[in-house]
Amino acid sequence: MKNTFIYKVAEYVFTAHRDDPGRVKVIFPNRRAGLFFNHALAGLTGHPVWAPEVLTIRGFVEEQTGKKVTDTLYLVMELYGVYKEIIGSIEPFEDFYPWGEMLLGDFDDLDKYLVDARDLFRNLKAERELTQDLSYLSEEQVALLRHFWDHFPEAPEEGEAGKFLHVWEKLYAVYEKLRRVLATKEMAYEGMLYRELAEKIARREWTLPDASPVYLIGFNALTPTEVKLFEALKDSGQAFFFWDYDEAYVTTRAGASLPGHDAGRFIRKYIRRFSPPAGLNIFDNLLDKEKEIRVYSSPNRTVQAWVVHNLLEQWTKEEDVQKERIAVVLADESLLLPVLHAMPEEAGDINVTMGYPLQDSPVFSFFGSALTMLKNKTEDKDGNTLFYYKDVLNILHNPLLAEHRKTGWHEWEENLIRQNKIYLSSDGISAEEMVMPVFEIPENSIQYGQVLLDVLHKVLSFSSGEEERKDGGLNIEVYYQLYLLVNRLNDFLEEKDLPLSLTGYLNLLLYLAGQSTVTFYGEPLTGIQVMGVLETRLLDFDRVIVLSVNEGSLPKPYAVASYIPHSLRKGFGLPTYEHRDAVYAYYFYRLIQRARHVALVWHTESDAGQKGEKSRFISQLQYLTQKKPEVTNLYFSPGMGVTGKLCVQKDGTALSCLQALVAGEDNYLSPSAMNTYLTCRLRFYFKYVAGISEPEEMEEDMDAALFGSLLHRAMEKVYTPWKEKEVTVEDLEKILQKKLYRKAVDESFRDELYDGHEAPPAGTVNGVQMIIRSSLEKYVRKILEYDRKYVAPFIIKGLEEKVIHKLVITVDGKTVPVQLGGKTDRRDESHGRMRLVDYKTGQKKTDFESIGQLFDPEDKNRNAAAFQILTYVWITGGDVPVQPELYFVREMFRSDVRQGLRMGPGRQKVPFVPDREDMLGFEEKLNNLLVEMFDPQVPFDQTPHAEFCTHCPYNAICQRNRSSEN
Ligand code: SF4
């Protein structure tokens, strides 16, 4: 602590103003450093004193001009009015907003960099030569301007160049009028105030209002307006300047380690002009021989979080560790959630301080999905609203709703996918009541933002808090930011009487939210710090882990939204990418200069425009430091060592999610869930415990994937009139002769595809649907013929029946209540025997060796269909023996077809009609399976059969094939 920059400055201030620190003004580039400064000062005084006035530079400028910076929404609104008047644009406000915001940013730069706007926005047509007095620019800058205009087209009235020029030539008038309008209304953007103060200084109309000493601490890149202010303060004799740097990159003396390095580009320029007091011996640490720098490469972005896990687990065991002196720095802020989830228990309190992008949070994606759904909605011919299924699923898949999914949600979704329902009405959506308002169209656009807030409020209030604790309150913070944003936008629209269309409102809301970040303030003085790069400014840590030290993240790519072309920006001395690279170089070297242990993690994954390349800063370190960094290439995955296999332990969260699967009236484990478990425990975890939906794509052009659900529904419709009645051979003859099953096929299409609507939504019928309809009729007919020939007479006892069986198992001496259940296709009674019928549209598979084989995950030929129907037989069976019947419908076209299971070793298989003893054996195996599923000692691990992974929807997350290659 005593060797930190902030502590040394606090010590200096305290020593110099021991009697009255309260009369000192301390100015920092950002707010956070002030907090650490006050903390250090409090430790030095040992008794209560008036603290110095701590300000940011912007706060100081506001104080000195007596004006406040206005909210951007209002500024863009004023600009909109001026722009419309001068340029003649008639685009709606919401479309203008991003453009207006960019233009305001340019005007802000012009003012902070004291650029003459008239010179910049010159009239090219009237004057292709640079005749104005540009003597305030260097020769190089003038040459750049000349180059730009010389290469501008001669006759630019047409095309993009013409449009550019049309706007360009009027921008001075827009700039000038906007400033006048804002001044009249006592409004201002930041640069306007900076220029106002700098111009007052230039006219000698400003001096410090009192004799307070002013400390300017930790600045790096200064704008010309700031330089003017620094000079005036220096001239006053009341200012003290402190720069945070390392000799290695700032000194220019011969033999310096990093002479002319970008990291020191700005400080080298100012340190003589605004010299710091002597005696702070903390500026020669970067190349310390004791410093340990390790470089890790990770196979993908997210896995970097597990490097944090492992390092923290190791560091927190060391004796001299102070947790508040450890920082985990995220150059890519979207890693916040994976990092929080990967924190080891030993980490203890975590404090998060960063500009976390709202758009990376589940709360934002809930908003975003709802807004997209409304934009994509359509109507049927009766004017009823229909939602596109993917938009609905996007909402319901949101992790925030994981605890609020309606019972049977998985089955509902599976049906939806199987049945290819492309458009859904709100009454066809399976969601808890508290979520349903999202699917109701609001009367006016402003109300919808409020509806979403209300739903989210309820969802967050009724959550168990488990996730929230893991996420460090992230969702609550994001919700709060969105709450402020929606209210701010709604107030603004009402105040300005600016009615927006629903789409316009949604676009603007999404745009504003997408621009926003959440800044956590937590308790920064205790616990491990998780931070963004910007938040590390002026702070020193003993141990630092930096993630995503990749090109594209550190430094960030140059993406200044500006209407001013690069060469003109450069010509007029406005910031460009060279400026940004130097700023990031400073952040990086400053961050590691005083740390004793540094871990730099980069990833090799190419995505989102990044090439998976390590940052230039790592390469520089390898050449520049006296002691080369130790480089470690690791292939980390959660739960595995360097080259292990991915598996998830049944810790508190996983176990409680597993138990939630079978708790409550209607929650149960289905045979298909158990089949998934037997196929691969990890896949079961992804799908049922973690709730990560299989990214199964619907076949919107309706191919064979739809067939199964249509067939099931059609068979249900055919036999519904015969429930509890006898179906005779004659009845079936009549159905077949009169083709009565056609009505059932029509109804299945109506229910399964058009969400209960008679006619399909416009544009959703195509030739493939007609082919499927005709094939479906043939299959239904074949089943009816089979029933007539082999089964009739029979009595229909149940169709699409929901069945549930409750039982209690004992795990580790503790009882665990479990429910098994699902839906059976058909239960009937034929010739005195109860039968359970399961219609199958896949390949025929009726054979199996033994009951034990059905439960053997090692056997890759395990018969999952037999397991499924026998589980239903066990669930439904009482004392009456039940006969399982698998109707493999593709087989029905063979003349000698007989359905039914066959059991036995090798070729000695015989038709299987389970008796009581068989079912007792089945029960015993089932019980063992359930005990294993709920046993905390048995992790969710990968299947031994690599071939199962080829078509596994989770193989990208699991990377089993990759780890098996290692
Ligand atoms: S990829 Fe293979 S090991 Fe991984 S979850 Fe899927 S089936 Fe299991």
Side-chain angles (χ1 to χ4, degrees), residues 579-762:
H579 179 280
R580 190 177 174 93
D581 283 358
V583 167
Y584 268 88
Y586 173 69
Y587 290 157
F588 176 78
Y589 284 98
R590 201 220 60 78
L591 169 64
I592 65 168
Q593 65 197 15
R594 295 188 192 98
R596 288 187 299 121
H597 303 275
V598 177
L600 305 173
V601 191
W602 66 285
H603 64 83
T604 53
E605 182 183 342
S606 302
D607 70 337
Q610 293 193 15
K611 284 183 261 164
E613 255 177 57
K614 72 178 163 212
S615 165
R616 66 195 74 171
F617 301 144
I618 292 181
S619 309
Q620 287 169 6
L621 275 177
Q622 284 168 336
Y623 285 103
L624 298 176
T625 56
Q626 293 165 4
K627 191 177 131 193
K628 303 266 179 252
E630 184 182 320
V631 179
T632 314
N633 290 306
L634 292 187
Y635 288 92
F636 272 100
S637 275
M640 68 191 201
V642 175
T643 55
K645 288 180 179 175
L646 174 59
C647 78
V648 177
Q649 299 298 330
K650 283 185 198 140
D651 63 6
T653 313
L655 202 59
S656 53
C657 288
L658 179 66
Q659 281 160 355
L661 270 181
V662 290
E665 257 318 287
D666 288 322
N667 291 342
Y668 50 77
L669 268 181
S670 64
S672 75
M674 289 187 278
N675 257 330
T676 306
Y677 181 89
L678 286 165
T679 303
C680 175
R681 293 191 272 241
L682 189 59
R683 183 166 171 172
F684 172 84
Y685 167 79
F686 286 139
K687 181 167 182 179
Y688 294 97
V689 182
I692 304 170
S693 300
E694 294 188 0
E696 184 178 1
E697 279 300 312
M698 274 221 263
E699 302 293 340
E700 285 172 27
D701 58 350
M702 286 182 51
D703 63 9
L706 172 65
F707 199 74
S709 54
L710 285 170
L711 181 89
H712 279 74
R713 183 56 66 117
M715 289 312 301
E716 181 192 354
K717 296 277 176 195
V718 167
Y719 282 132
T720 295
W722 270 273
K723 235 170 163 181
E724 294 298 343
K725 289 186 196 152
E726 190 176 60
V727 185
T728 62
V729 171
E730 293 71 35
D731 292 329
L732 290 165
E733 284 291 357
K734 189 173 149 200
I735 295 171
L736 287 163
Q737 267 178 13
K738 296 197 170 177
K739 299 190 174 168
L740 298 180
Y741 52 84
R742 282 184 161 177
K743 186 163 172 278
V745 169
D746 283 344
E747 286 174 355
S748 78
F749 266 75
R750 184 196 64 194
D751 289 0
E752 297 299 310
L753 202 59
Y754 310 136
D755 204 26
H757 295 261
E758 285 297 342

Side-chain angles (χ1 to χ4, degrees), residues 646 676 679-686 941-961:
L646 174 59
T676 306
T679 303
C680 175
R681 293 191 272 241
L682 189 59
R683 183 166 171 172
F684 172 84
Y685 167 79
F686 286 139
D941 56 2
Q942 298 173 332
T943 173
H945 307 300
E947 55 270 49
F948 290 174
C949 307
T950 314
H951 299 293
C952 172
Y954 303 106
N955 54 20
I957 309 176
C958 170
Q959 301 204 352
R960 180 187 188 280
N961 290 336

Side-chain angles (χ1 to χ4, degrees), residues 105-117 120-121 137 141 145 168 195 223-224 265 558 560 562-580:
D106 280 342
F107 293 169
D108 190 67
D109 275 351
L110 295 192
D111 285 351
K112 282 182 179 161
Y113 283 78
L114 293 174
V115 170
D116 187 329
L120 175 66
F121 301 123
L137 300 177
Q141 287 176 309
L145 303 188
W168 184 260
R195 191 192 278 259
T223 63
R265 177 168 155 187
Y558 178 70
V560 169
S562 173
Y563 197 62
I564 306 170
H566 175 261
S567 44
L568 289 190
R569 288 192 78 87
K570 205 162 172 177
F572 279 91
L574 293 168
T576 58
Y577 65 85
E578 293 97 336
H579 179 280
R580 190 177 174 93

